[in-house]
Amino acid sequence: MSTVYKSLIISPNPDKSIKTYNPGYMAISDNGKIEEIREENLHNKYKGYEFVDLSNYLIIPGLIDIHNHLPQYAFAGIGDKELLPWLENYTFPREKTFENKEIARESAKIFFSDLLKNGTTTSVTYVTIHKNAADIAFQEAEKAGIRAVIGKVNMDQNSPEFLTENTEKSINETKELAEKWHGKENRLFYVVTPRFAVSCSLDLMQELGKIAQKSDYFIQSHLSENRGEIDFVKKLFPESQSYTDVYEKAGLLGPKTIMAHCIHCNEEETEILAKTRTIIAHCPTSNRFLKSGIMPLRKYLEKGLRIGLGTDVAGGYSLSMFNEMKEAIENSKYYQVFVDKKTEPITPAEAFYLATLGGAEVLGFENETGSLEKGKNADLVVVDYKKTDPENGEGLYNEPEQILSRLIYRGGEQSIKEVYIKGQKVVKFA
Ligand code: GUN
Ligand code: FE
């Protein structure tokens, strides 16, 4: 159904500022693309289109979470340990349960449904080592309508016996899943997923790197998250210069590789990330929850590193990208106060960019999604923004930057009215 919407609209610009239409008119064709967006009344121009007046609402682009773990959602908000004991005590026992297909399916349904309810229209997601569970995750993402990049986890060493794979089987199952799903409907993609250097042999990592490169799949892993983890990697790979060097030698870095965290990387390591154009998934909520540290976001941005935001559920306790934007700002303030007075914190507009267009750009989806512009898909979130305002939109604080800032700090699932992907309504609250 082709539609013209009238609403306050806020969309990010490539220079990390925001563009506001107040009110804006957005024409969406029946193939789900934005045909036109402007402040002029398009109601008469697009005859035959349904006219939907959302004057009391705000439309923003769908949010993009570039790092999360589907099976871990069940224990979000629980966990009192740092990374390695947290994996042993919480993550691995839970991930074992995904050998059961019913559990895997029920969890996937809840996970994608809750992502959409939180306004996340693009997700990059880890499942478990189980091929069936990853296949089921793709099936449920397909049904939910979400844009998703999904991978079966690979791990063949230093893991509990029940999660340790045979290397060859791990590789073969990865190939089968990737061939089946990568590029489906131009909405579902495969991401090769060696969990981290601790749990993957060099042989496994090298072979996965080759597979990804040959077929242009995404790659994702974890890098330099926790001091204990870094020490462990040093012991496992004594001939390597650094943690980042391990991945570079294994052939895993590049413009389609997403490395989560990268908190404690030294100068040489960030040089490698810059040179290879590797993507960093910044997960500030998780970084505090697991006491991993504070990533120098401003420094990395100034260095030109490619960065998106990730919830890292359940290292992070929430699927809300509003929460993640807030934590990105707060962590960058903390970094200025306690680590380096010369680094400026990021602004709400910059956080908004990272959670939308920035995420789309690093994933190479910027022609499809991430901002509201002619020719892109109508991936959008309708927000009841006045609910975030103590004075219900009637007070003095209604500049676009103020509306956005309040939404980041005070918004969440409760302030979302509807969510659309490719113009199709995927969530509607009462
Ligand atoms: N490093 C290896 N596996 C994981 C995981 O599941 N979560 C986080 N936060 N870090 C990891
Ligand atoms: Fe993670």
Side-chain angles (χ1 to χ4, degrees), residues 160-200:
E161 205 180 322
F162 55 80
L163 286 184
T164 304
E165 300 178 284
N166 166 281
T167 308
E168 206 179 309
K169 183 162 179 258
S170 180
I171 290 163
N172 289 337
E173 291 184 346
T174 299
K175 277 193 207 155
E176 286 161 24
L177 283 164
E179 280 163 20
K180 177 168 175 190
W181 290 102
H182 188 69
K184 186 135 196 231
E185 292 177 29
N186 199 26
R187 179 164 71 76
L188 301 168
F189 300 91
Y190 195 80
V191 53
V192 173
T193 306
R195 180 170 214 126
F196 64 157
V198 169
S199 69
C200 298

Side-chain angles (χ1 to χ4, degrees), residues 60-80:
I60 59 171
L63 302 167
I64 301 180
D65 180 351
I66 75 163
H67 182 84
N68 57 50
H69 300 258
L70 184 162
Q72 298 176 16
Y73 188 38
F75 63 88
I78 301 168
D80 53 355

Side-chain angles (χ1 to χ4, degrees), residues 67-69 72 86 126 221-222 225 260-261 283 286 312-313 315:
H67 182 84
N68 57 50
H69 300 258
Q72 298 176 16
W86 173 83
Y126 287 58
S221 191
H222 296 87
E225 176 177 8
H261 309 301
C283 309
S286 164
D312 193 28
V313 154

